[in-house]
Amino acid sequence: MARTSEEKILEAAQRIFTRFGYEGARMQQIADEAEVNKSMLHYYFRSKKKLFEEVYRDAVVKLMPQLLNLLNADLPLEEKIPKLVRRYITLMRDHPRLPGFIIQELHQNREEWLNFMDNLDFGKPKKFLEQVRRNQEQGKIVKIEPRQLLINILSLCVFPFAAQPMIKYMLKMDDAEFENFLDVRVESLSTFILNAITP
Amino acid sequence: MARTSEEKILEAAQRIFTRFGYEGARMQQIADEAEVNKSMLHYYFRSKKKLFEEVYRDAVVKLMPQLLNLLNADLPLEEKIPKLVRRYITLMRDHPRLPGFIIQELHQNREEWLNFMDNLDFGKPKKFLEQVRRNQEQGKIVKIEPRQLLINILSLCVFPFAAQPMIKYMLKMDDAEFENFLDVRVESLSTFILNAITP
DNA sequence: GATAAAATTAACCATATGGTTGAATCAATT
DNA sequence: AATTGATTCAACCATATGGTTAATTTTATC
């Protein structure tokens, strides 16, 4: 404990920005959430934009490498896919607001976002795509464009979190039921995907 | 042509709100986009919030019924699923900003959003869920929780649009390549899903 | 063509918001 | 205890923004 003011601000900013977005967040709101004087935000982070960028970078750094490492790991597909599903869903469960947050905020200033990402520079899913192509040539899996498979896996894992409130509404789930839905989903998705690509 | 000011404003508001979100959008910006004096926005729609609600309602009404009707149609699953995929992807292609917009803005005031949706009241995917259950009992498809299958289909169709810039970035696609990716996707997804649920 | 109603505009207004400043307080070092 | 630098705070500031008003122009009606 005994978090410094700087830490308190960052954590508060994380909560507020991920919830309300850049435009929707108020500096005063962040200060209140951090239990700190508003001037402190500028003292430590200079401006709203700088503070936001810090938060956004942290979010991206928290997610992207996790997504990519395992994707390029040295594991046979039939092992890798269940592991991917389990890890992605676990990751999203821990940070359910991040996917929506990351996607939402990049929708504007696309230019700016591009060099921002290039600076961070995580790898690309190249190895995974090649692995799929190889498995396909060997007839181990069904014919499918590797990028399509990649996007399928990502979609299936991430979308339910981005669309969480909509899903809860459409299927009339409360929080507990949704959690249960996710428990089931880990197993369900693995077999779903493996089934889909098994000849 | 000869669109009325009211129409011009609504269309402009649609473009601006879906792009920048409620908080990010500026009334002046909408007025400029509509080539209309800012006071006109208040003259016709009273307030930013009212104008936004109109735009949001239009967006939801444009998407939801389309999603639900076909889902509950009287068609065997093996026909219905390719049709669903084709229609959903076509729909998203025509309105690529809508899914992100709808999801983004409901993330806040969840309470308000709930009665809002209840007022509009589209159906629920009940018939589809039952159809899946029946097919399952008859051994026509693999064992799967019907709601999971529903979310899978939605995720696979919708997510690529919500995450479009991210995908383009990760897979180094330009606009043309992404369009091509979507062309391929219609076929690819249908067989992917059918494969996944065929015993 | 006079009259009334609707539509349009420019000039304002009140307030919220990001940001600044300068004084006060605290903590470490000597 | 004095000095110094970092930290915290209340009071301000400039500006952007949603919204209002009142006058003007356009359109429709008789």
Side-chain angles (χ1 to χ4, degrees):
Chain A
M1 59 162 308
R3 281 134 70 241
T4 68
S5 293
E6 192 172 351
E7 287 167 331
K8 289 201 289 181
I9 293 171
L10 249 183
E11 289 164 22
Q14 225 143 319
R15 287 190 290 271
I16 301 296
F17 276 133
T18 52
R19 176 132 177 233
F20 298 97
Y22 177 76
E23 294 285 353
R26 301 285 158 240
M27 292 297 267
Q28 186 60 59
Q29 194 185 11
I30 294 173
D32 293 347
E33 175 88 11
E35 292 177 298
V36 137
N37 187 290
K38 180 163 77 83
S39 295
M40 302 289 279
L41 310 200
H42 293 97
Y43 180 73
Y44 284 111
F45 299 94
R46 293 188 63 87
S47 71
K48 186 183 184 185
K49 193 158 188 207
K50 287 257 173 49
L51 176 55
F52 175 80
E53 276 164 6
E54 201 114 329
V55 169
Y56 193 84
R57 190 164 44 65
D58 285 356
V60 172
V61 166
K62 205 179 286 171
L63 277 200
M64 297 296 286
Q66 298 249 36
L67 294 188
L68 282 165
N69 288 348
L70 185 48
L71 214 48
N72 290 327
D74 257 330
L75 273 176
L77 268 188
E78 69 269 18
E79 279 181 51
K80 188 183 279 190
I81 287 175
K83 266 190 204 258
L84 279 173
V85 169
R86 168 157 276 117
R87 174 178 303 179
Y88 286 4
I89 291 187
T90 307
L91 194 60
M92 295 297 126
R93 262 181 133 155
D94 288 341
H95 312 285
R97 284 223 153 86
L98 288 199
F101 174 65
I102 291 176
I103 289 170
Q104 180 189 128
E105 298 300 332
L106 99 154
H107 252 294
Q108 291 131 40
N109 13 276
R110 217 164 282 192
E111 285 306 311
E112 203 179 330
W113 186 81
L114 284 179
N115 4 341
F116 172 78
M117 287 297 279
D118 281 336
N119 284 342
L120 291 177
D121 181 46
F122 333 98
K124 293 272 146 51
K126 210 177 154 196
K127 269 187 80 172
F128 174 79
L129 296 176
E130 275 162 14
Q131 181 180 26
V132 173
R133 194 164 289 121
R134 230 179 308 117
N135 270 262
Q136 217 176 115
E137 281 163 7
Q138 297 169 0
K140 286 190 189 166
I141 65 168
V142 106
K143 190 163 151 280
I144 185 171
E145 222 261 289
R147 294 178 308 175
Q148 299 280 350
L149 177 57
L150 172 60
I151 299 303
N152 289 356
I153 295 174
L154 278 178
S155 302
L156 290 165
C157 293
V158 177
F159 183 76
F161 292 90
Q164 181 175 342
M166 181 74 86
I167 290 174
K168 280 180 179 163
Y169 170 77
M170 268 182 41
L171 300 179
K172 294 221 174 298
M173 293 193 239
D174 59 27
D175 289 350
E177 285 171 313
F178 187 74
E179 288 302 311
N180 186 55
F181 178 82
L182 293 178
D183 287 336
V184 174
R185 190 158 183 78
V186 176
E187 284 308 310
S188 175
L189 259 193
S190 296
T191 54
F192 184 85
I193 298 171
L194 287 177
N195 247 336
I197 61 174
T198 305
Chain B
M1 58 165 308
R3 282 137 67 241
T4 69
S5 293
E6 191 172 354
E7 287 168 332
K8 289 202 289 180
I9 292 171
L10 248 184
E11 288 164 23
Q14 225 144 319
R15 287 191 289 271
I16 300 296
F17 276 134
T18 52
R19 175 130 177 235
F20 298 97
Y22 177 77
E23 295 284 352
R26 301 286 158 238
M27 293 297 267
Q28 186 60 58
Q29 194 185 11
I30 294 173
D32 292 347
E33 176 88 10
E35 292 176 297
V36 137
N37 188 291
K38 179 163 77 83
S39 295
M40 302 289 279
L41 311 200
H42 292 97
Y43 181 72
Y44 284 110
F45 299 94
R46 293 186 64 87
S47 71
K48 184 181 184 184
K49 194 161 188 203
K50 287 255 171 48
L51 175 55
F52 175 80
E53 276 164 6
E54 200 114 331
V55 169
Y56 192 85
R57 190 164 44 64
D58 285 356
V60 172
V61 167
K62 205 178 287 173
L63 277 199
M64 298 296 285
Q66 299 250 35
L67 293 188
L68 282 165
N69 288 349
L70 185 50
L71 214 48
N72 290 328
D74 257 331
L75 274 176
L77 269 189
E78 69 270 18
E79 281 181 49
K80 188 182 280 190
I81 288 176
K83 268 190 201 262
L84 280 172
V85 170
R86 168 157 275 115
R87 174 179 302 180
Y88 286 7
I89 291 185
T90 308
L91 195 60
M92 296 297 127
R93 261 180 132 155
D94 287 341
H95 312 285
R97 285 224 153 85
L98 288 198
F101 174 65
I102 291 175
I103 289 170
Q104 180 189 130
E105 297 301 331
L106 100 157
H107 252 295
Q108 290 132 40
N109 15 277
R110 217 164 284 196
E111 284 306 312
E112 202 179 330
W113 187 81
L114 285 179
N115 6 342
F116 172 79
M117 287 297 280
D118 281 337
N119 283 344
L120 290 178
D121 180 47
F122 333 96
K124 291 278 146 48
K126 209 176 154 196
K127 269 187 81 174
F128 175 80
L129 296 176
E130 275 162 17
Q131 180 181 29
V132 172
R133 193 165 290 118
R134 230 177 310 117
N135 270 263
Q136 215 175 118
E137 282 163 7
Q138 297 169 0
K140 286 191 190 167
I141 66 167
V142 106
K143 189 163 154 282
I144 186 171
E145 222 263 287
R147 296 178 308 174
Q148 299 281 349
L149 177 57
L150 172 60
I151 300 304
N152 289 356
I153 295 172
L154 279 179
S155 303
L156 290 166
C157 293
V158 177
F159 183 75
F161 292 90
Q164 181 175 343
M166 182 73 88
I167 290 174
K168 279 181 180 164
Y169 170 77
M170 268 181 40
L171 299 179
K172 295 222 175 296
M173 292 192 239
D174 59 27
D175 289 349
E177 287 171 312
F178 187 72
E179 288 303 312
N180 185 57
F181 178 81
L182 293 178
D183 287 334
V184 174
R185 190 159 184 79
V186 177
E187 285 308 309
S188 175
L189 259 192
S190 295
T191 54
F192 184 85
I193 298 171
L194 288 177
N195 245 337
I197 61 173
T198 305

